[in-house]
Amino acid sequence: MRETASACLNDHMTIRVLDGDDPTTIDLLLPGFRATMAHDLPGDPPAPPALLARLLQRRRGTDRLVLVVFRGERPVGYTKLGMDLHADLQRAHGSFWVFPDERRAGAGRELLAAVRDEVRSRGRAEVLVDAPRTPAADAFAATLGGERVATNVRNRLSMRDPVPAVGETGTVRLVRWNERCPDELVEAYAALQSGVDAVVNGQARSAGLSVADVRIAEGEAVRAEHRQYAVAGLAPDGRMVGFSTLYVRDSPLADAGQTVVAPDCRRRGVGTLLKRSLVTWAAAENPQAVVLQAWNPQDNTAILALNRRLGFEPDQVWSTYRFPV
Ligand SMILES: CC(C)(COP(=O)(O)OP(=O)(O)OC[C@H]1O[C@@H](n2cnc3c(N)ncnc32)[C@H](O)[C@@H]1OP(=O)(O)O)[C@@H](O)C(=O)NCCC(=O)NCCS
């Protein structure tokens, strides 16, 4: 698509749309992605291919855009954006990275211009980008017409330490599953997820989530070589009152999924109980998993308090930047 001639032929920048589900895209971007993670998230273990595959894969209910900026034939940065097909129709939301050795040479500016063209051509009016809050990100956004619109905290929990015990929750019975929610629970599971309408970077909102949607999302995790762990709580009458999920991969770093408690059952320790049971179970089965990471909006006091009680500690501040197209 976009090409910029420059004085030196080797410096010729091009932008290409690539398929995030194509293994050759993962191979192409993996060295730069690893260098970027080591530079921008220095406390993290080396990023495995499954992490990049998970980040770039097409997700349920979204249109996916992966744009890569090349200098000659060398990829020097990329953006991946998700566009919800049913809600938030004006926006595209994702991440935007220039590889560390390639910064301050115009690649970011070039890539953002291409993103704006592409996103505009798809009928969207704004791009949201999540990134660690740094002076570079702030300056880049300020120079190119962006603004910071939200703050998220990355919290981390050591999976090798015992998770603190939590209070009794009386009669809640716990059930567990991995890849596939049992058929007899899946409708209640979909209904409970539908109640959460948080905006998650690059993913579709979950309002109106159907059983078929749950099955599609389960398949996505398997496809990207992630193993899901899920624990749900059932009341004595069998009603599902909450659930909590996480994902492990071939890496010391695991990702928190969602924790949801039915509105009328909140403030009774159910969420803490579910997440504690989940982490203890996943840690016992995955000796390679050392750290569990969770991103939480700075103003979500409920989940921040729950995570703190389990031993999560804040590790990095991320911003969401908004760029009108
Ligand atoms: C932010 C980032 C994408 C910039 O990429 P880049 O290729 O270095 O940016 P460019 O060279 O195109 O810079 C464009 C303008 O942004 C500003 N800028 C970029 N990096 C800057 C820095 N480290 N300090 C101050 N200003 C900076 C400058 O005004 C620059 O123009 P100039 O070089 O003519 O002065 C890159 O640093 C990065 O990947 N950071 C980590 C992830 C991230 O923050 N993503 C974007 C969040 S909005």
Side-chain angles (χ1 to χ4, degrees), residues 36 39-40 71 76 95-100 102-111 129-141 143-144 319 321 323:
T36 304
H39 182 270
D40 292 308
R71 209 175 279 285
V76 299
S95 52
F96 186 105
W97 302 100
V98 172
F99 303 153
E102 311 287 349
R103 294 181 183 170
R104 297 312 302 267
R109 187 187 289 272
E110 194 61 29
L111 183 58
V129 171
D130 288 337
R133 176 178 296 175
T134 59
D138 281 348
F140 179 75
T143 304
L144 294 166
S319 300
Y321 298 91
F323 295 90

Side-chain angles (χ1 to χ4, degrees), residues 239-255:
R239 177 181 163 228
M240 189 181 288
V241 295
F243 70 86
S244 186
T245 56
L246 65 75
Y247 296 89
V248 295
R249 52 185 165 257
D250 182 16
S251 162
L253 193 61
D255 289 330

Side-chain angles (χ1 to χ4, degrees), residues 66-275:
V66 176
L67 283 183
V68 180
V69 53
F70 289 83
R71 209 175 279 285
E73 282 307 305
R74 191 171 82 250
V76 299
Y78 76 90
T79 184
K80 73 97 191 170
L81 297 168
M83 283 160 274
D84 192 322
L85 293 171
H86 304 289
D88 301 325
L89 295 177
Q90 83 287 4
R91 67 172 52 144
H93 192 171
S95 52
F96 186 105
W97 302 100
V98 172
F99 303 153
D101 292 346
E102 311 287 349
R103 294 181 183 170
R104 297 312 302 267
R109 187 187 289 272
E110 194 61 29
L111 183 58
L112 186 65
V115 165
R116 283 181 152 137
D117 286 351
E118 191 64 34
V119 164
R120 193 181 307 115
S121 77
R122 294 175 190 222
R124 309 260 160 168
E126 65 182 28
V127 176
L128 297 180
V129 171
D130 288 337
R133 176 178 296 175
T134 59
D138 281 348
F140 179 75
T143 304
L144 294 166
E147 58 171 340
R148 198 164 64 207
V149 291
T151 300
N152 300 296
V153 181
R154 185 172 81 151
N155 283 298
R156 291 160 52 112
L157 174 74
S158 163
M159 291 179 76
R160 294 297 120 208
D161 297 333
V163 187
V166 292
E168 266 302 305
T169 49
T171 48
V172 172
R173 182 167 68 86
L174 300 183
V175 287
R176 304 164 161 185
W177 66 89
N178 285 112
E179 283 70 28
R180 199 178 148 84
C181 177
D183 287 336
E184 64 277 16
L185 296 178
V186 69
E187 264 179 51
Y189 180 52
L192 210 46
Q193 278 187 68
S194 294
V196 194
D197 211 14
V199 177
V200 182
N201 172 339
Q203 295 184 34
R205 283 182 182 258
S206 39
L209 197 85
S210 67
V211 168
D213 292 327
V214 170
R215 296 303 184 211
I216 291 170
E218 289 172 339
E220 288 165 357
V222 173
R223 209 154 31 81
E225 297 177 14
H226 280 55
R227 181 146 215 238
Q228 176 180 253
Y229 283 76
V231 173
L234 304 185
D237 63 359
R239 177 181 163 228
M240 189 181 288
V241 295
F243 70 86
S244 186
T245 56
L246 65 75
Y247 296 89
V248 295
R249 52 185 165 257
D250 182 16
S251 162
L253 193 61
D255 289 330
Q258 275 187 315
T259 299
V260 177
V261 175
D264 60 324
C265 299
R266 292 182 184 164
R267 303 308 298 264
R268 293 188 208 163
V270 174
T272 313
L273 176 83
L274 293 171
K275 202 155 178 178

